[in-house]
Amino acid sequence: MCDRVAEWRQDGQIFVWRYPKRNKHAGEWHFTGDPAGCRSICDLIDRMVGGEACHRTMRLGQVTPAISSVPNYGETKPDRFCSMRVAFRPDAGEVTMVEDGDRLFLTFGNEQMCDLRAAFADVEVGNGDFGIAPSDDRRTKSWCFWWMPWSAGHYEQ
């Protein structure tokens, strides 16, 4: 399994952002990606699951005003994340996201793999405006997934 994960190469782009504390959606992570990026992260998840603990790092695209305006929640936080380490820990009880400067650390386990993968698969085909619960704790804010903005027949980059 580790060889399959090591052979993975990123295609496309994934975007991650948040909103400031004054926004009712503060604390939520927001995601989108172009179709190739969504297929790529789904492929990575597929390669990881069922194996031992492993990780890969992917580049994150810069969130443009066109992307962040899809939810219509106003200005985003000024943080700009350049990469996201995607880590699989078989026994992880929840999906977590930790920030370290301009880098994010996303960790998931066997329990949440299906929800996380399904979310990116839905965005790949143009769906959005839905959330997934990162844990069983009802107080935890959902992670929100959005479609990519569509303009003149091409995805915004």
Side-chain angles (χ1 to χ4, degrees):
M1 211 36 104
C2 286
D3 289 342
R4 292 193 64 225
V5 173
E7 292 168 356
W8 175 84
R9 298 292 178 259
Q10 180 179 350
D11 290 320
Q13 297 186 82
I14 296 294
F15 304 89
V16 182
W17 70 98
R18 297 180 297 183
Y19 292 94
K21 290 196 184 296
R22 68 182 180 274
N23 186 299
K24 72 177 184 175
H25 298 284
E28 298 172 349
W29 290 102
H30 296 263
F31 298 83
T32 194
D34 61 24
C38 291
R39 272 190 306 277
S40 188
I41 196 168
C42 286
D43 178 42
L44 177 58
I45 291 168
D46 290 344
R47 289 168 183 251
M48 291 176 156
V49 170
E52 58 198 46
C54 55
H55 70 273
R56 288 301 305 251
T57 298
M58 60 187 319
R59 298 174 314 282
L60 294 174
Q62 182 175 348
V63 178
T64 66
I67 290 170
S68 65
S69 68
V70 168
N72 198 23
Y73 292 159
E75 294 288 318
T76 62
K77 282 185 81 167
D79 43 25
R80 299 285 180 251
F81 303 111
C82 297
S83 64
M84 181 170 65
R85 180 178 171 170
V86 180
F88 173 69
R89 302 285 175 261
D91 58 349
E94 60 187 15
V95 183
T96 61
M97 181 76 84
V98 176
E99 63 179 297
D100 182 16
D102 66 351
R103 190 172 184 192
L104 295 172
F105 295 85
L106 174 124
T107 304
F108 70 97
N110 284 316
E111 287 182 38
Q112 311 83 13
M113 178 278 304
C114 290
D115 289 342
L116 186 62
R117 188 193 187 290
F120 283 108
D122 276 351
V123 173
E124 176 188 348
V125 297
N127 294 327
D129 195 6
F130 64 89
I132 64 168
S135 76
D136 291 336
D137 181 352
R138 294 187 186 272
R139 293 173 298 183
T140 303
K141 295 227 179 208
S142 293
W143 290 8
C144 301
F145 290 79
W146 303 98
W147 57 86
M148 282 289 289
W150 189 258
S151 173
H154 299 288
Y155 283 102
E156 294 284 334
Q157 298 287 327

